[in-house]
Amino acid sequence: MEEERTIGISGPARHRSPAVAARWPGRGFVAAAVAVLTALVAVPAPQARALPAHRHGAASTYYVDCADGADTARGTSPTTAWRTLKKASTAAYRPGDRILFKRGTTCTGTFAPTGSGTAGAPLAAGAYGSGAAPRIAGAGARAAILLDNVQYWELRDLDVTNTGPVTATERRAGVLVRLRDFGTGRHYVVDGVTVHDVNGADVKDPDPSGGILFAVQGASKPTRFDGVTVRHSRVEHTDRTGIGTSSTWGRRPEHPGGPGTTFAPVTGLFVHHNTVRDVGGDGIVVQNAVGARVEHNLVDGFNARSGGYNAGIWAWNSDRVRYQFNEVTGGHGTRDSMAYDIDGGNNGNVYQYNYSHDNEGGFLLICNGAGMVSDRNTVRYNVSVNDRNTSAPYGVISVVCGPATHTLVHNNTVTTDVPGTAMVSSNGPGGVTFRNNIFAGAAALSPIADPHNTYDHNLYARISGIPGGDTGAVRGDPRFAAPGDVRLRTGSRALGAGVAVPGGGDRDFYGHPVPDPPNVGAYQGHGA
């Protein structure tokens, strides 16, 4: 029997959901309820583990003990460990070498090695000994860990911080991987790394502040990343971005005003099973990428200190990005601050099986940049609970800026008990079709303020301004299974009331197969 995720729809301002358990064919996760927030996905804490030993000739392991080591020592054993980051940064490493920092110690400054690994023999930095993860403390430097114009690197089981004097101008990062006029840089892994307390300036591109950043700069040689994985890591209390990519090579027909003279996208980007909490700006932002995957992440608290526009998880100038099994909550402010965003130059991107709740900026933004092409994007089988945005022209779902063509938003369950917020708001652009969604508003009625887009076979509960063009509209209570459970009860008018969506996915939010005809909403079971 398939297990189901049970998602809450009632409760105080900070949503509390019951225990979560789900299984999909070929993958699974279990997350337990916690006092404040139960994650939609399991994001395990980094576990102590040995770095893999890479075989490549006479590869060596080097040890760094910032408490009791000596830079005059050989560094090839725990008893002959080096002492400083300067020594660890200037050593001549060979492919396959490992640099291990002693647990329970703090190294102040920047770890900035200059060598590269090779395919099958990457360089790797990690931990040895027992106790807390070794800390790399940048103390206000550009980055605590800086991988600059190098490739084939792996970082594991490190604690990274970078707190300096309060600044409005200094860029700071925890981990900064930077390529400048390099060509293609390959194979980067950040695994089980915690980045916290980075107080950089509120600066995004092209020289950003944040937690874990991959930045392409320069203007003379097209440069890009190929093969980037960020997994099982934590980013907490950082400014500005939690986890992100950026590039100065973004010009293409879909973004004719983009930087550089050509398009050099990130490929092989996989961001999964990470926790991002209390970030000043964006939670996880993918820029200049093709084929990226962002899944099983928790973003809890974003846009906390930024004066710009920010979202929980989103992309810019990127194609075929798949976001799934993520949870986003705690977006602050109404200058964006929505959980998910289809933005400028996004093409063929898919948001599916995500959970959003208690975001002041709402659930979804659809906002194409001026002069850009954003086309064929899909938002399906997601659940939004108690998101809101009371600042016109925004709403729980906001369709603003330039038109994003052929956008399909289908089989989502969107419900709020927060009064005074539009369920959908549009200030003019069209190009979006809303099909088979449940819109369940607050007791005082939540409006749909959108005369511009297409509505088809949606269910409307406690909604004013129901679009007259929705000839398949279903009106009335969706009959959720219980408080805290948005499955549909037997007898719900949403059961079997949808219309088939070719290529619309074969599983629902809970892992059920999609019947024909489908239900309206994110739940496709037979009735709870």
Side-chain angles (χ1 to χ4, degrees):
M1 177 182 294
E2 289 182 323
E3 296 171 339
E4 296 175 337
R5 280 177 283 177
T6 304
I7 301 299
I9 62 169
S10 62
R14 292 293 294 179
H15 173 66
R16 290 175 171 84
S17 58
V20 176
R23 180 169 62 245
W24 286 264
R27 62 171 64 90
F29 62 85
V30 175
V34 295
V36 176
L37 177 65
T38 297
L40 172 66
V41 297
V43 187
Q47 300 295 313
R49 58 193 179 279
L51 280 167
H54 300 290
R55 299 183 180 276
H56 187 85
S60 300
T61 298
Y62 296 92
Y63 298 84
V64 183
D65 180 349
C66 289
D68 296 314
D71 286 352
T72 55
R74 295 180 60 188
T76 54
S77 70
T79 59
T80 62
W82 297 327
R83 186 180 183 91
T84 67
L85 291 175
K86 180 178 180 181
K87 178 65 175 180
S89 298
T90 56
Y93 299 117
R94 293 174 294 184
D97 284 354
R98 302 186 300 163
I99 304 91
L100 305 184
F101 295 88
K102 187 176 182 180
R103 290 182 176 274
T105 64
T106 296
C107 299
T108 302
T110 298
F111 176 52
T114 57
S116 291
T118 60
L123 290 165
Y128 77 96
S130 59
R135 176 168 293 179
I136 310 296
R142 178 63 188 89
I145 297 178
L146 176 62
L147 300 181
D148 199 8
N149 272 14
V150 296
Q151 60 181 329
Y152 293 102
W153 265 94
E154 300 180 357
L155 306 173
R156 287 184 171 87
D157 303 319
L158 300 171
D159 180 288
V160 180
T161 186
N162 192 5
T163 303
V166 174
T167 180
T169 58
E170 294 295 319
R171 279 78 160 165
R172 295 181 186 137
V175 175
L176 174 60
V177 184
R178 184 172 63 192
L179 297 178
R180 181 184 289 111
D181 298 323
F182 183 84
T184 300
R186 293 185 167 87
H187 187 82
Y188 304 87
V189 175
V190 179
D191 182 10
V193 172
T194 296
V195 179
H196 59 98
D197 299 300
V198 178
N199 65 338
D202 184 17
V203 178
K204 190 170 188 173
D205 303 317
D207 190 16
S209 291
I212 299 174
L213 304 174
F214 290 80
V216 169
Q217 299 174 359
S220 63
K221 183 177 183 178
T223 296
R224 68 186 187 92
F225 292 100
D226 176 47
V228 174
T229 298
V230 182
R231 65 191 178 206
H232 300 292
S233 295
R234 302 179 69 88
V235 176
E236 300 183 358
H237 194 62
T238 64
D239 296 313
R240 175 184 191 271
T241 300
I243 299 171
T245 66
S246 59
S247 177
T248 55
W249 295 94
R251 181 167 296 186
R252 58 178 179 149
E254 294 83 356
H255 188 15
T261 57
T262 190
F263 185 52
V266 181
T267 55
L269 174 63
F270 190 17
V271 181
H272 67 98
H273 290 93
N274 303 289
T275 296
V276 176
R277 296 184 188 272
D278 185 25
V279 291
D282 295 308
I284 299 173
V285 55
V286 174
Q287 300 191 71
N288 242 66
V290 171
R293 291 165 57 197
V294 180
E295 60 186 50
H296 296 286
N297 301 287
L298 168 64
V299 175
D300 181 7
F302 63 95
N303 200 27
R305 292 170 292 279
S306 175
Y309 295 95
N310 301 279
I313 297 178
W314 68 290
W316 171 264
N317 198 30
S318 297
D319 296 347
R320 302 192 302 279
V321 182
R322 181 154 296 205
Y323 316 82
Q324 56 189 8
F325 312 115
N326 301 291
E327 177 178 4
V328 177
T329 188
H332 297 288
T334 54
R335 195 178 187 187
D336 286 10
S337 305
M338 57 287 303
Y340 307 109
D341 173 13
I342 295 172
D343 218 289
N346 287 183
N347 298 278
N349 294 355
V350 176
Y351 283 102
Q352 62 182 6
Y353 315 129
N354 299 291
Y355 178 33
S356 166
H357 61 100
D358 301 291
N359 294 290
E360 293 178 1
F363 159 52
L364 175 66
L365 175 69
I366 301 172
C367 174
N368 187 28
M372 301 178 73
V373 174
S374 186
D375 185 57
R376 297 169 289 104
N377 298 290
T378 302
V379 180
R380 64 192 184 197
Y381 302 112
N382 303 286
V383 170
S384 165
V385 176
N386 291 340
D387 293 319
R388 72 272 193 194
N389 195 323
T390 59
S391 177
Y394 293 110
V396 177
I397 298 175
S398 306
V399 185
V400 296
C401 314
T405 53
H406 302 101
T407 303
L408 180 58
V409 179
H410 76 89
N411 289 101
N412 303 282
T413 295
V414 184
T415 179
T416 188
D417 62 12
V418 181
T421 184
M423 188 63 74
V424 183
S425 181
S426 171
N427 69 350
V432 182
T433 297
F434 294 93
R435 178 171 291 144
N436 296 347
N437 302 286
I438 291 177
F439 296 115
L445 302 187
S446 300
I448 289 182
D450 177 17
H452 306 288
N453 294 289
T454 300
Y455 290 78
D456 178 35
H457 283 81
N458 301 287
L459 183 146
Y460 305 93
R462 301 178 298 281
I463 298 294
S464 62
I466 295 174
D470 191 345
T471 57
V474 179
R475 295 169 172 82
D477 187 349
R479 290 176 56 85
F480 293 132
D485 187 343
V486 299
R487 294 174 301 165
L488 304 173
R489 282 185 286 168
T490 301
S492 169
R493 296 186 64 193
L495 293 170
V499 62
V501 179
D506 61 357
R507 294 274 162 173
D508 75 348
F509 181 87
Y510 300 90
H512 296 121
V514 177
D516 186 12
N519 302 338
V520 174
Y523 170 77
Q524 296 297 312
H526 298 296

